Amino acid sequence: MTGDSVVLLVDDDPEIVESYQEQLNETYTTRTAFSGEEALDELDETVNVVLLDRRMPGMTGDELLELIRDRGLNCWVVMVTAVEPDLDIVALEFDEYLIKPVSSSQLNDVVERMLTREELDAQIQQIVEIGSKLATLEAKLDYDQLQESNHYRELREEFSQLREEIEVTEYEDDPYLEATVENIDALLPNL
């Protein structure tokens, strides 16, 4: 998951970008940009996570974030900024918000959380697809037909295995992950 992951570091302060790069380079592939305009040149479908400053001359981080979302780029965006959050963040479509200064462990933790969410989202899509098939079969076939079907048993087993993989106890401090698991359990209680 992490070795091939690309993190784009966007900040107008070269010292901050260099510091972040040093802290993340061992685990991730990093790209750098010192302005919103440069970041647009670096952004493509291979970028998994963007660490983005809000205050930059020219294009602000808020404006860049809006362009990222408008372009439909499938990446996680973490605002890493000295700007204290206010009601103005309600309209911003970021995934997490960190206040500078940030430690090496905070940077690594937030990137890892974003990548875990990425992996979890793919698992969720798969489990919902299988759950939908199971629900359809259970609504259309009687109990004996289901018990005789190898395909049904295989789907149930695959569903159970995926459900076990989605246990994210090591990320209990991440409200997104906890809510996601709770939503799966609520949506698919009988499976």
Side-chain angles (χ1 to χ4, degrees), residues 76 95-96 113-114 116-122 124 168 171-183:
W76 300 95
D95 298 295
E96 198 147 333
R113 271 196 312 277
M114 295 302 105
T116 299
R117 288 179 187 181
E118 186 173 288
E119 183 177 294
L120 185 60
D121 283 352
I124 289 167
V168 288
Y171 295 100
E172 289 178 347
D173 292 337
D174 189 339
Y176 173 88
L177 296 177
E178 287 181 46
T180 300
V181 172
E182 287 173 12
N183 286 338

Side-chain angles (χ1 to χ4, degrees), residues 70-127:
D70 287 347
R71 289 184 176 185
L73 293 168
N74 189 22
C75 59
W76 300 95
V77 179
V78 179
M79 302 305 271
V80 185
T81 179
V83 179
E84 288 289 333
D86 200 343
L87 288 176
D88 64 336
I89 69 167
V90 172
L92 298 177
E93 294 182 53
F94 59 84
D95 298 295
E96 198 147 333
Y97 199 100
L98 297 178
I99 303 293
K100 291 178 185 175
V102 294
S103 68
S104 177
S105 64
Q106 284 177 298
L107 279 181
N108 280 287
D109 288 349
V110 77
V111 171
E112 187 63 29
R113 271 196 312 277
M114 295 302 105
L115 295 173
T116 299
R117 288 179 187 181
E118 186 173 288
E119 183 177 294
L120 185 60
D121 283 352
Q123 288 175 324
I124 289 167
Q125 288 173 2
Q126 189 176 10
I127 201 169

